[in-house]
Amino acid sequence: MKFIHIADVHLGARPDAGPMYSAGRAQELWDTFRGIISLCEEERTDLLLIAGDLFHRQPLMQELKEVNYLFTGLSHTRVVLIAGNHDYIRLDSNYRTFEWAENVYPLFGEELEYMDFPELNTAVYGFSYHRREITEPKYDQCRACGIEPFEILLAHGGDERHIPIDWRALNSSGFTYAALGHIHKPQALVKDRIIYAGALEPVDKNDTGAHGYVRGEITGAGIRTQWIPYARREYIHLELPVSPGDTTGSVWKKMEKQIDNYGNENIYRVSLLGKRDPDISFDTEWLGRCGNVIEVADDTSPAYDFEALYRENENTVLGRYMEHFAGCSEGSIEYQALCEGVDALLESRK
């Protein structure tokens, strides 16, 4: 039995993707999802498993019809899905009344239920969110019933506010495979058996790293899985060292080179680190126009010779201010306050 496991597609989201890609990024989420549907058809995948948050919020009827149309193009694949905390089954949710294609099997109940596919020797279990947050560890009591040789759990959660999970209990629950959603970073908790597919596409600047889907096959000999990178873009947090000889122009050149190395198709948050000339103030707004950058944070500190500065200003307000921070270590909050205070006092003299 061959399956593809995806999660956290977040159709309808409008991610901040920088000046080059923000306008079309929402459509890219749909395009990548369409790509998965085409892949299922090409590979004659038996099951497409969607582990929650197919939509970023309550799905519009138009959106459900678009998704359902895509599912009707699958001649071989059955689709099983649950609702997560973003697209939970609200009282007025369109999920409640929508009529899906014959090959689509939603597990929208509030308690554990299953869909049996005897022709695949497989049963898929799951339940859906009916509120935004569920703090009870509901998966800890889930058990495979043994109705088919292969039994799969669709699950969404894993933090304190969204169904905390005891991984040891899940590992001993009897399921052949647990297809997990909610955590956007792909990770295998138990090799080949308990896996977060991660978000299909990154939707937030903190969704760093590669994103994609899980391809799996279950046979009488066991289960084999492979995580496949598939997203069009990555969010990359770029740490850029600077020195006292740098200006805004030279930092631009450094950023340009690093962005070329990592790929112009990606989306960047840049942190400037190190020591700068005390007379230099980096223009982070202008630097934000260098490639596809969504944020530039200046985390540098001025390269003051504090001993010489104190000797020159021992009997002034500046000197007395510096005395309060004597012995503070570089990089500490106190050191940051020292630098900012010295900056302000020197600026007031100008």
Side-chain angles (χ1 to χ4, degrees):
M1 191 279 289
K2 297 188 298 183
F3 66 85
I4 282 179
H5 161 205
I6 63 174
D8 301 284
V9 184
H10 288 281
L11 298 176
R14 295 188 174 277
D16 185 1
M20 295 170 64
Y21 301 120
S22 283
R25 187 67 181 138
Q27 187 58 51
E28 286 184 347
L29 303 186
W30 281 89
D31 292 341
T32 300
F33 179 65
R34 289 187 181 96
I36 290 292
I37 301 300
S38 297
L39 202 62
C40 288
E41 181 67 9
E42 292 167 13
E43 298 182 356
R44 292 186 62 78
T45 302
D46 295 305
L47 288 176
L48 173 59
L49 306 169
I50 304 176
D53 285 353
L54 175 58
F55 293 94
H56 189 60
R57 33 93 181 120
Q58 292 297 309
L60 303 175
M61 189 60 72
Q62 174 182 333
E63 293 171 327
L64 287 171
K65 290 179 178 180
E66 290 290 345
V67 166
N68 196 50
Y69 170 74
L70 296 174
F71 291 154
T72 62
L74 294 169
S75 61
H76 181 80
T77 306
R78 291 88 159 165
V79 181
V80 188
L81 71 153
I82 59 174
N85 58 297
H86 276 264
D87 56 354
Y88 70 101
I89 312 291
R90 211 166 62 182
L91 288 176
D92 60 349
S93 172
N94 289 321
Y95 272 147
R96 291 181 178 270
T97 58
F98 189 74
E99 293 187 14
W100 294 96
E102 291 181 357
N103 63 327
V104 182
Y105 303 88
L107 298 174
F108 283 168
E110 202 166 356
E111 301 300 329
L112 190 69
E113 55 186 332
Y114 68 85
M115 185 59 59
D116 189 10
F117 302 99
E119 68 280 10
L120 300 175
N121 295 318
T122 302
V124 181
Y125 296 68
F127 61 82
S128 288
Y129 280 64
H130 282 237
R131 57 187 189 273
R132 289 183 187 275
E133 296 183 359
I134 302 175
T135 57
E136 301 87 358
K138 296 182 67 170
Y139 293 119
D140 294 358
Q141 288 75 46
C142 293
R143 296 291 181 272
C145 298
I147 58 174
E148 293 291 352
F150 311 141
E151 299 194 303
I152 294 172
L153 176 67
L154 269 182
H156 190 91
D159 63 37
E160 291 184 358
R161 295 187 301 164
H162 306 96
I163 315 185
I165 299 173
D166 182 334
W167 308 116
R168 289 172 298 179
L170 184 56
N171 192 31
S172 61
S173 61
F175 292 104
T176 311
Y177 180 73
L180 304 179
H182 180 62
I183 304 300
H184 285 196
K185 184 178 180 61
Q187 52 193 296
L189 301 173
V190 176
K191 186 177 184 296
D192 286 327
R193 292 192 51 246
I194 303 177
I195 298 178
Y196 278 105
L200 186 59
E201 284 273 358
V203 294
D204 182 88
K205 66 183 179 182
N206 294 315
D207 286 352
T208 55
H211 289 75
Y213 68 94
V214 176
R215 176 191 284 134
E217 184 174 6
I218 306 175
T219 67
I223 180 169
R224 294 180 303 170
T225 62
Q226 181 184 12
W227 184 83
I228 311 291
Y230 197 68
R232 293 163 181 253
R233 316 194 189 284
E234 292 183 31
Y235 285 99
I236 294 178
H237 289 185
L238 186 62
E239 294 185 344
L240 195 70
V242 303
S243 65
D246 276 313
T247 65
T248 299
S250 67
V251 169
W252 176 287
K253 289 293 185 184
K254 288 183 178 182
M255 283 177 57
E256 240 180 1
K257 183 176 179 181
Q258 290 285 15
I259 289 171
D260 282 342
N261 289 339
Y262 283 102
N264 288 292
E265 75 280 4
N266 295 316
I267 307 162
Y268 293 88
R269 180 189 183 276
V270 180
S271 296
L272 307 181
L273 303 175
K275 297 284 189 179
R276 57 175 166 77
D277 186 323
D279 294 326
I280 291 290
S281 178
F282 297 122
D283 187 345
T284 55
E285 184 177 349
W286 185 71
L287 289 170
R289 302 173 190 170
C290 178
N292 194 51
V293 175
I294 57 174
E295 182 181 349
V296 178
D298 183 358
D299 296 321
T300 61
S301 56
Y304 287 119
D305 182 344
F306 283 113
E307 290 185 8
L309 194 61
Y310 178 71
R311 287 194 301 270
E312 295 169 5
N313 295 274
E314 186 174 355
N315 298 314
T316 68
V317 172
L318 176 58
R320 289 194 293 274
Y321 178 80
M322 293 177 68
E323 288 172 1
H324 287 289
F325 298 94
C328 69
S329 58
E330 190 171 332
S332 66
I333 295 175
E334 290 80 7
Y335 186 82
Q336 182 180 350
L338 170 63
C339 292
E340 291 178 358
V342 169
D343 274 346
L345 289 169
L346 290 176
E347 184 64 27
S348 69
R349 289 182 177 181
K350 296 177 184 178

